[in-house]
Amino acid sequence: MKAIVLVILFVFGFALGWAQENLQVRTVKFRGNKHIQTYHLKEEVALESSSWVKQKIFGKEPVYYSRSLYNEDVKRLTVFYQKQGYLDVRFNEPQVELTKKNKVVLTIFIDEGEPVTISEISYQVDSLYQLDEVMRLQDQKKLLLQTQANNDKTFRDEDITNDQLLIAEAFYDYGYPYTRVNHHLQVDTILNTTAIMWQVTRGPLAYFGSTNIVGNSRVPSKNILRQIDYHEGEVWSKKKIDQTQKQIYNQGNYRVASVRANIGDEQPDTIPMHIQIREAPRWSVRFGAGYGREDKLRAFTDVQYLGFLTHTGRLNLYAKHSGLEPYNIYLKFSQPSFLFPMNTLTVHPFIQEENEPGYKLQKIGTNITFLQSFSKELNTSIGYVFEDVELDTTAFVANETVDYDETIYKKTGIVLGGIYNNADPILDPVQGYAVSLNIKTNGLLLGKEIPFYRILSEVKTYFGLRRGLVLALKGKMGGIKRTDDADFIPVEEKFFAGGSHSVRGWSRSDLGPRNENGVPIGGNSLLEASAEFRFDVARKLKFNVFMDAGNVWEKSFNYHITDLRYAAGFGLRLKTPIGPAGIDVARPVFDSENKWQLHFNIGHTF
């Protein structure tokens, strides 16, 4: 009797499994995955949920369940787990259920087992030396801090591949371009650990040879040779090659600037260098148009001419129109490598109209700026600014009486700026931080100018909590003060808060002091802070929730934490080649104001 029951159950189960073949997958679940996140596992399988959103909005085809497809997914998951250090992973019989609409709910049961951990890491160079015998202590520490595989950490194939490249590049910078790096594993199956021995074969020490440049016609070779970071006969270094390529690109005249070493199989000790140039067209035109809630219809055009005045000089004619800038027209002459390989001198005359919620003005002026890049992360600037400003009082102060000197005035001064930004990737950061500082002084050269100084600093930081989830934080502080006994400060130099890149529960410039007619007049102190969680909800779609805080105060460098205004909201971002684009919806909280604000954005707000 017992045997008959087992046969019936087997036949019933087989029939049920057969009946579920070629039915649409509704949901895929994972059970038992304690160490690997579910979203990582879903990226490895072909069986995936077929939701209405994926099909109708993103155009994905529905996925149908089959046992063979499941078995292929198990093979992929097994390889994935093994690469993460889980060599004993097991997959138990799945649970296949049918919904009322005859769709499959698949549950995959995983027994992960214990991971293989790293018990020891050692280095052997040329079968004779230890790492500290051939590498400076500072460079050794830098290498060990960058490596991903560490003692007591789970062994992962990705970490080994990453570290293999890091070790090789460290020796490239010591003049060994023929370095080969291999690893030997000693696995303890009882303790479930492995010892890693890195075996480095350096090959012969090499030196830079002569440099050959091809492809340039407009820019003379001597201008390009001034950008190289090495000298013939110097010890070979990959770091110097990478820096040379950056310095050549800084001239801004090339579509392609490839710097490479002519390394052959014979491994000579002197390596010729080859620079391949592809120059950009002398004339180029860019233009674009769009619409934003704050700046309304906007459009711009930018005409560039290369080789102006000098072989590497650039001249740009730029024109822009928007609701906030009815016109902004300027010429900009840029001379890269003005004194050093990674700096640029710019001369920038302009004419502009600003139409902000709190003021309207026209100005004409010139900026002369010296830009210096110290590294990929650190950039600085120092500049001289002259502006002749005419303020439209009808838009600013309505029926008030205004001093003539406060409506037509000149400004001239020095502007200092610096930014350190190691956030990565640049358009959609998941890690790193950015710190910026801008200092402006006014009241130089002309006796009747308005003497003041203005400071604005900002800090942004990004924490990748897990794949697809990022916490972004921002803090911003500013202050402006007259250096004489007068009170007047030009309205366009004051601080305003509220809007798509500020406190998003308010419209542009809506926070802070107002005049008796309710018009925003700006303040002399600014404080803002934001926290935002960013989630990946699809391959090219992000969802974000955030809280902003901030305010503007009338007195200089006078901040009141208890007087901050708060807003909370959510948004969507669509990933595009030029960065995320989307909308934010927010409203004030802890406040008598309760109106929702809608903001359209290109890029993240911070």
Side-chain angles (χ1 to χ4, degrees), residues 358 393-400 512-522:
T393 58
T394 60
F396 175 42
V397 291
N399 297 322
E400 297 180 13
R514 296 172 177 268
N515 66 10
E516 61 184 24
N517 298 301
V519 177
I521 59 174

Side-chain angles (χ1 to χ4, degrees), residues 266-429:
E266 298 178 358
Q267 298 189 358
D269 61 358
T270 300
I271 300 178
M273 300 301 299
H274 181 81
I275 299 178
Q276 177 70 48
I277 296 294
R278 183 182 173 191
E279 294 175 337
R282 187 180 287 270
W283 287 96
S284 63
V285 180
R286 296 188 306 121
F287 58 88
Y291 183 85
R293 188 174 182 274
E294 294 175 353
D295 50 5
K296 309 302 180 185
L297 178 66
R298 59 178 182 269
F300 80 91
T301 183
D302 183 10
V303 181
Q304 179 175 260
Y305 178 76
L306 299 179
F308 181 76
L309 295 183
T310 69
H311 292 295
T312 55
R314 304 192 302 266
L315 183 68
N316 289 77
L317 173 61
Y318 181 91
K320 176 185 177 182
H321 166 78
S322 72
L324 299 175
E325 290 180 298
Y327 60 83
N328 181 4
I329 304 171
Y330 66 75
L331 276 174
K332 183 165 73 172
F333 170 70
S334 304
Q335 178 55 61
S337 311
F338 179 66
L339 295 176
F340 310 106
M342 292 297 289
N343 59 39
T344 302
L345 175 69
T346 67
V347 181
H348 176 192
F350 64 89
I351 180 170
Q352 181 182 10
E353 180 179 345
E354 295 182 15
N355 190 10
E356 293 284 349
Y359 64 89
K360 182 177 181 181
L361 58 80
Q362 297 83 38
K363 60 183 178 180
I364 184 171
T366 300
N367 299 330
I368 302 174
T369 307
F370 183 79
L371 307 168
Q372 175 66 54
S373 175
F374 290 97
S375 67
K376 178 182 177 182
E377 295 83 12
L378 179 60
N379 294 278
T380 61
S381 65
I382 179 171
Y384 168 78
V385 180
F386 168 78
E387 294 179 358
D388 195 340
V389 182
E390 181 177 351
L391 185 66
D392 184 347
T393 58
T394 60
F396 175 42
V397 291
N399 297 322
E400 297 180 13
T401 302
V402 182
D403 191 325
Y404 177 80
D405 290 338
E406 297 181 2
T407 61
I408 298 178
Y409 47 85
K410 292 180 173 61
K411 296 186 299 179
T412 180
I414 300 296
V415 179
L416 302 173
I419 180 169
Y420 182 87
N421 185 356
N422 67 1
D424 185 58
I426 190 68
L427 295 178
D428 190 9

Side-chain angles (χ1 to χ4, degrees), residues 20 25-31 45 47-48 65-67 69-70 73 93-98 103-109:
Q20 291 161 343
V25 176
R26 176 66 183 88
T27 306
V28 179
K29 302 178 181 179
F30 294 88
R31 296 290 183 267
V45 298
L47 290 167
E48 61 175 345
Y65 172 77
S66 72
R67 186 69 186 197
L69 194 56
Y70 166 77
D73 279 348
E93 188 66 20
Q95 179 178 304
V96 184
E97 301 174 295
L98 289 181
K103 293 184 179 180
V104 171
V105 177
L106 175 65
T107 305
I108 300 176
F109 296 96

